[in-house]
């Protein structure tokens, strides 16, 4: 199974890019408060009362996976008339192929805090929380909070840290609220959604830590500067996690809109083997054939082929990789990571994994292929959260992108049955 290390092997910025998050000072070690103040952290050029409009103009999309417009989420909470509101920095990185949130929290915790406190001011929050699961990030963030509390920049609202065991669904926004409220870190049925009623039954903004870091940068540089990189539909830069058959796996800051080939060649050190497949969006966007290597690495570009950028974790598989075996392994991971709350999700993930494993082992039938097509198209949108959507994307893209490999396995199955 292809799982990124707890800490990025390599880190850096796209050549020629003026980095926003991965500044040179942060590459070697964690930036303390003094270093961050020299970078302008906790200093604003955009007034707080204008920051939501500036975010909307910037086109910043949430970096947690869904890519929802950050300005819209902030505006919704700001418009609430409730006196008690909560803002959460979500750093629970349960995606096994991603390491970008951990890098940010370990190297630039103050930039995340800056964005969190900015959001709290902008929406009128009365409680702020950092939600984490990795031990190193907890230590780094608590040290940053202590530094801030002892400085002249002491926040008006105390920043809390809430720690949960690591799991994929623990980072889903309703699971975040449920855990902080004292329950299990598992998704809840919707409605209500967190912006309606979340932590303490109050309107709650759950924002990925990278999203908050970009928001802090925008507060000092403005929307137009943010749009200087990226594309019209997917503006700005993004932290990508590269793993698999490349020479320099790690976390990198790149402009949105580069092709997959360009990303791997420019920052990943090039492919270590001729690509056969890409696993995109972490494991949530399914699998794409190597022919998509010229596809733009952005929200709109990957959505066009039925996939998604997600958390911007991308794994490349070389020509010697058995894509059906990898698909089966990922399918089994889905069965293990399910919250086990929704019958549709339990049965759906088990069925998808079972079909993929049978096909790879040479025990599949033609009906397994037909079922994967059906499940890939009918299961999305069911259950308490979007977890099943990822398994459905796996089923759908395996058939669509690697039907020749799949049929070859089925041919072997047919041959065995005749013997």
């Amino acid at each position: 199974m292809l799982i990124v290390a707890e800490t990025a092997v390599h880190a850096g910025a796209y050549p020629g890019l003026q980095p926003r998050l991965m500044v040179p000072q942060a590459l070697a070690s964690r930036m303390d408060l003094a270093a961050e103040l020299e970078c302008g952290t906790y200093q604003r050029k955009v007034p707080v009362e204008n920051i939501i409009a500036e975010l909307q103009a910037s086109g910043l999309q949430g970096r947690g996976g869904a890519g929802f417009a950050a300005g819209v989420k902030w505006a919704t909470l700001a418009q609430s008339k409730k006196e008690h509101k909560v803002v959460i920095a979500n750093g629970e990185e349960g995606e096994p192929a991603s390491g970008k949130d951990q890098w940010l929290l370990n190297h630039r915790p103050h930039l995340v805090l800056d964005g969190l406190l900015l959001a709290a001011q902008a929406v009128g929050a009365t409680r702020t929380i950092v939600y984490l699961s990795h031990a190193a990030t907890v230590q780094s963030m608590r040290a940053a909070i202590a530094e801030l509390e002892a400085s002249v920049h002491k926040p008006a609202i105390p920043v809390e840290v809430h720690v949960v065991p690591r799991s994929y669904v623990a980072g889903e926004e309703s699971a975040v609220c449920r855990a902080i409220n004292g329950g299990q870190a598992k998704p809840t049925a919707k409605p209500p959604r967190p912006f309606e009623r979340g932590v303490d039954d109050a309107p709650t903004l759950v924002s990925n830590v990278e999203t908050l870091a970009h928001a802090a940068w925008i507060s000092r540089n403005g929307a137009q500067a943010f749009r200087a990189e990226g594309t019209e539909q997917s503006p700005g830069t993004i932290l990508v996690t590269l793993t698999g058959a490349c020479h320099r796996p790690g976390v990198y800051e790149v402009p949105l809109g580069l092709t997959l080939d360009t990303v791997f060649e420019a920052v990943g050190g090039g492919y270590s083997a001729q690509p056969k497949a890409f696993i995109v969006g972490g494991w949530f966007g399914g699998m794409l054939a190597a022919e998509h290597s010229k596809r733009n690495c952005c929200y709109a570009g990957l959505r066009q082929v039925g996939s998604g950028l997600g958390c911007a974790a991308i794994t490349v598989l070389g020509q010697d990789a058995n894509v059906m075996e990898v698909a089966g392994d990922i399918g089994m991971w889905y069965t293990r990571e399910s919250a086990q709350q929704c019958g549709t999700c339990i049965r759906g993930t088990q069925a998808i994994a079972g079909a993929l494993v049978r096909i790879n082992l040479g025990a599949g039938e033609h009906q397994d292929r037909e079922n994967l097509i059906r499940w890939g198209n009918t299961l999305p949108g069911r259950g308490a959260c979007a977890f099943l959507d990822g398994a459905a994307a796996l089923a759908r893209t395996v058939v669509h992108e690697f039907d020749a490999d799949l049929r070859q396995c089925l041919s072997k199955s047919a041959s065995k049955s005749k013997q």
Side-chain angles (χ1 to χ4, degrees):
M1 181 59 68
L2 299 162
I3 300 179
V4 73
E6 288 291 310
T7 303
V9 179
H10 299 287
Y14 180 75
L17 174 72
Q18 186 69 32
R20 301 167 179 189
L21 309 186
M22 285 193 151
V23 294
Q25 305 95 304
L27 296 181
S29 62
R30 175 185 177 277
M31 289 178 65
D32 62 12
L33 179 58
E36 285 287 2
L37 290 175
E38 289 184 6
C39 274
T41 303
Y42 300 119
Q43 300 164 49
R44 311 251 179 266
K45 289 185 179 178
V46 178
V48 171
E49 59 268 24
N50 297 339
I51 190 59
I52 292 178
E54 200 72 12
L55 283 183
Q56 292 174 326
S58 75
L60 172 64
Q61 292 159 289
R63 301 299 198 244
F68 191 75
V72 173
K73 287 186 72 171
W74 289 36
T76 300
L77 212 72
Q79 291 162 7
S80 171
K81 303 301 182 184
K82 298 289 183 67
E83 290 185 7
H84 180 43
K85 303 177 190 178
V86 182
V87 174
I88 302 169
N90 185 4
E92 200 294 310
E93 195 166 32
E95 170 62 62
S98 181
K100 55 101 174 178
D101 290 343
Q102 294 170 69
W103 185 92
L104 196 56
L105 289 160
N106 287 333
H107 290 256
R108 299 203 68 185
H110 281 285
L111 188 62
V112 175
L113 281 176
D114 189 9
L116 175 65
L117 295 171
L118 172 67
Q121 285 183 283
V123 306
T126 50
R127 188 179 179 188
T128 59
I129 306 165
V130 184
Y131 181 83
L132 305 168
S133 61
H134 297 80
T137 63
V138 173
Q139 181 180 0
S140 176
M141 184 53 71
R142 282 180 170 157
I145 293 170
E147 285 182 298
L148 194 61
E149 289 282 350
S151 75
V152 296
H153 298 277
K154 181 177 180 177
I157 306 172
V159 180
E160 306 168 39
V161 175
H162 190 93
V163 184
V164 294
R166 181 183 182 183
S167 74
Y168 188 89
V169 296
E172 194 270 345
E173 62 176 8
S174 69
V176 172
C177 296
R178 184 179 185 179
I180 294 172
N181 281 333
Q184 291 182 300
K186 293 184 177 183
T188 59
K190 307 169 196 60
R193 295 187 177 276
F195 72 85
E196 297 168 313
R197 194 165 73 242
V199 173
D200 304 332
D201 282 336
T204 302
L205 172 67
V206 182
S207 189
N208 174 259
V209 293
E210 185 190 343
T211 309
L212 293 172
H214 283 294
W217 190 91
I218 291 169
S219 76
R220 289 185 291 282
N221 298 276
Q224 291 309 306
F226 182 78
R227 283 187 168 275
E229 299 290 350
T231 69
E232 180 63 27
Q233 290 182 294
S234 299
T237 66
I238 194 166
L239 297 183
V240 297
T241 309
L242 306 183
T243 55
C246 64
H247 290 293
R248 289 176 55 84
V251 177
Y252 301 94
E253 184 175 6
V254 303
L256 281 159
L258 301 176
T259 66
L260 290 168
D261 273 347
T262 301
V263 171
F264 275 96
E265 291 295 331
V267 294
Y271 301 117
S272 58
Q274 184 68 24
K276 182 175 184 178
F278 296 96
I279 306 172
V280 296
W283 290 349
F284 202 79
M287 303 176 72
L288 294 179
E291 65 189 59
H292 294 291
S293 66
K294 305 298 182 186
R295 175 70 53 180
N296 283 355
C297 186
C298 63
Y299 295 98
L302 292 174
R303 197 179 300 121
Q304 290 172 356
V305 289
S307 183
L309 184 59
C311 63
I314 309 167
T315 301
V316 58
L317 303 180
Q319 284 294 328
D320 61 345
N322 180 338
V323 294
M324 294 308 302
E325 180 180 11
V326 173
D329 287 346
I330 296 176
M332 291 303 297
W333 174 85
Y334 271 104
T335 67
R336 293 191 299 271
E337 288 294 317
S338 168
Q340 301 291 307
Q341 296 184 132
C342 306
T344 301
C345 184
I346 295 170
R347 294 189 296 271
T349 54
Q350 290 176 348
I352 290 169
L356 291 170
V357 170
R358 280 195 303 275
I359 291 169
N360 177 59
L361 293 177
E365 299 178 354
H366 181 73
Q367 188 60 45
D368 286 321
R369 178 182 178 277
E370 297 303 312
N371 285 338
L372 288 173
I373 295 172
R374 177 166 56 85
W375 294 329
N377 291 319
T378 61
L379 290 181
R382 307 187 55 184
C385 68
F387 183 77
L388 186 55
D389 293 17
L394 176 67
R396 183 175 61 253
T397 56
V398 164
V399 178
H400 187 269
E401 301 286 323
F402 301 99
D403 202 27
D405 296 75
L406 191 156
R407 288 180 181 276
Q408 185 177 18
C409 289
L410 290 177
S411 297
K412 292 178 180 178
S413 300
S415 298
K416 286 181 181 179
S417 65
K418 292 179 181 178
Q419 293 176 357

